[in-house]
Structure formats: C-alpha cells, structure tokens
C-alpha cells in the first residue's frame, strides 16, 4: 500500500470516529449562554451572620470557659500526679480547638456580611453604569 492510500484510509477512519460537539441542554428561549442569573439574598446573609454572632459564637466561648474551670479544678485536685499533667495538656488542646472554632465562626460571620454588602454594591454599580446618561437635550 502506497503512502497516499494509507493516508486516505487514516483520514477516512478519523472522520468516521469524529463525534462533534454535543450540548447537555437546549439553548434558552431568550438566547444567550444559558447560565442562570446570579441570585443573592443579602437580608438572609445578614440574618445568618447575626445568628452566628448571637447563637453560636457566644455560647461556644461560654462552653470553652466552663470546661476551663472544671479542668482547672480537676488538675489542682490531682496535683503531683501524672494525671494533672495530662489534664493540663488536654486542656491546652481543648482551648486551642475552641479558639479555632470561634475564629472560624467569626470569619464566616464577616464573610457573610461582606458578601451581602458587596453583591448589593455591585448590583447598584452595574445599574448606574447601564442607565442612559442624561444630556441637556434629553426630553426635547
């Protein structure tokens, strides 16, 4: 078989294997890319941030403090024993975990509030950009 014949056979086989582009959905009736509009609920984001602050953050701190007192009393009761050292070590780990959890709650609360503010601000900026500028001859 000559090179040209082999090349033609390879091109024909490749053309038969070609599947082309496939879409997973139909184009929207209005046209466009088909991506859904971004929807945001700033009030719900702020409400959840308030819930984190009042119902999660404060009680988590209080629970950490409660364990501080009980563990401190137990460590004093076992003074001079290896158990006291173990209690102090576990208490340090507990304290670290409580601080990390509270830190995450504070971060999430802040991010929710920022997202609510930024999305509303972005909407307003885009709205102002898209408004038709007024000139001295508008309305004539």
């Amino acid at each position: 078989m000559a090179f040209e014949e082999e090349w033609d056979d390879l091109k024909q086989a490749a053309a038969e294997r070609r599947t082309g582009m496939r879409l997973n959905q139909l184009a929207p009736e209005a046209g466009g890319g088909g991506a859904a509009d971004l929807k945001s609920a700033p009030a719900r984001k702020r409400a959840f941030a308030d819930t984190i602050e009042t119902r999660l953050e404060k009680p988590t701190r209080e629970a950490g403090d409660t364990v501080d007192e009980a563990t401190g009393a137990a460590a004093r009761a076992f003074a001079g024993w290896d158990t006291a050292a173990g209690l102090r070590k576990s208490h340090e780990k507990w304290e670290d975990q409580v601080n990390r959890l509270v830190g995450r709650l504070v971060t999430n609360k802040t991010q929710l509030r920022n997202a609510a503010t930024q999305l509303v601000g972005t909407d307003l900026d885009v709205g102002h950009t898209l408004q038709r500028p007024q000139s001295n001859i508008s309305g004539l």
Side-chain angles (χ1 to χ4, degrees):
M1 181 181 283
F3 172 76
E4 294 297 324
E5 292 173 13
E6 185 177 354
W7 180 247
D8 287 336
D9 289 345
L10 290 171
K11 287 194 299 187
Q12 183 178 356
E16 290 171 2
R17 284 192 314 261
R18 184 177 225 154
T19 57
M21 181 175 71
R22 293 185 205 164
L23 299 175
N24 289 334
Q25 67 184 26
L26 296 174
E29 290 181 22
D37 289 341
L38 173 65
K39 293 185 170 92
S40 177
R44 290 181 68 195
K45 284 178 179 48
R46 287 187 193 100
F48 193 65
D50 291 342
T51 299
I52 289 174
E53 186 171 15
T54 58
R55 297 184 65 198
L56 297 174
E57 186 181 339
K58 184 179 177 186
T60 301
R61 288 181 200 272
E62 290 170 355
D65 293 343
T66 301
V67 172
D68 288 348
E69 296 164 10
T71 306
R76 285 188 297 278
F78 286 108
W81 293 38
D82 289 342
T83 304
L87 283 170
R88 281 192 293 275
K89 181 105 172 139
S90 66
H91 181 259
E92 288 172 9
K93 186 71 170 172
W94 169 261
E95 203 170 46
D96 179 56
Q97 291 174 346
V98 168
N99 288 335
R100 286 175 187 260
L101 178 57
V102 170
R104 281 185 133 174
L105 291 170
V106 169
T107 299
N108 289 341
K109 173 184 68 176
T110 303
Q111 289 172 339
L112 282 166
R113 287 183 176 150
N114 288 344
T117 302
Q118 288 175 354
L119 289 171
V120 168
T122 300
D123 283 349
L124 292 173
D125 287 346
V126 169
H128 290 300
T129 302
L130 295 176
Q131 287 179 348
R132 202 167 83 192
Q134 298 294 317
S135 72
N136 291 337
I137 59 172
S138 292
L140 293 179

